Amino acid sequence: MSSPVSTVLRLLLILAATASLGACASTPNEPSKSDIVARGRALALSECAQCHAVGASGGRASSGAPNFASVAERYRDTRLDWELEAISQVGHYRMPRKQLTSSEIADITAYIRSLDHAPR
């Protein structure tokens, strides 16, 4: 026979597990990862392609700006979203300030990360 304490602990564990599963489940209105990457690519094409080659094939833009595949490799182990936040606020070397919302930063980050096929 179980003690009241072990029964309460078991119930708490079940409740905690149920709550965490609910937090992980996606909702029908929540965009998929591929949707976020597609939004990031569209934004990169409209806002960044003037200077950067934004596709996965690489190459270098005539401006000398790095292509997004090399940016993905360069920032593989760092917080790319922080770098994009700084670009949004103050620019980056020769790159002018580019106003971005937090959701746009998340979308562009997802797109750039999708270009890096090395294991993380």
Side-chain angles (χ1 to χ4, degrees), residues 82-103:
W82 288 359
E83 189 67 37
L84 292 172
E85 177 68 29
I87 289 166
S88 176
Q89 293 176 6
V90 297
H92 183 73
Y93 298 104
R94 293 186 311 177
M95 184 174 166
R97 181 174 171 258
K98 182 72 88 172
Q99 193 65 39
L100 298 167
T101 67
S102 58
S103 65

Side-chain angles (χ1 to χ4, degrees), residues 101-120:
T101 67
S102 58
S103 65
E104 289 171 332
I105 289 170
D107 293 348
I108 292 174
T109 299
Y111 173 63
I112 293 172
R113 293 270 187 237
S114 77
L115 300 175
D116 185 6
H117 300 292
R120 292 194 76 191

Side-chain angles (χ1 to χ4, degrees), residues 59-98:
R60 194 155 187 91
S62 60
S63 68
N67 65 61
F68 274 21
S70 67
V71 171
E73 184 179 326
R74 182 181 306 153
Y75 289 94
R76 177 179 297 142
D77 299 320
T78 61
R79 294 288 308 265
L80 178 58
D81 56 332
W82 288 359
E83 189 67 37
L84 292 172
E85 177 68 29
I87 289 166
S88 176
Q89 293 176 6
V90 297
H92 183 73
Y93 298 104
R94 293 186 311 177
M95 184 174 166
R97 181 174 171 258
K98 182 72 88 172

Side-chain angles (χ1 to χ4, degrees), residues 14 27 44 47 55 71 84:
I14 291 170
T27 63
E47 297 296 321
V71 171
L84 292 172

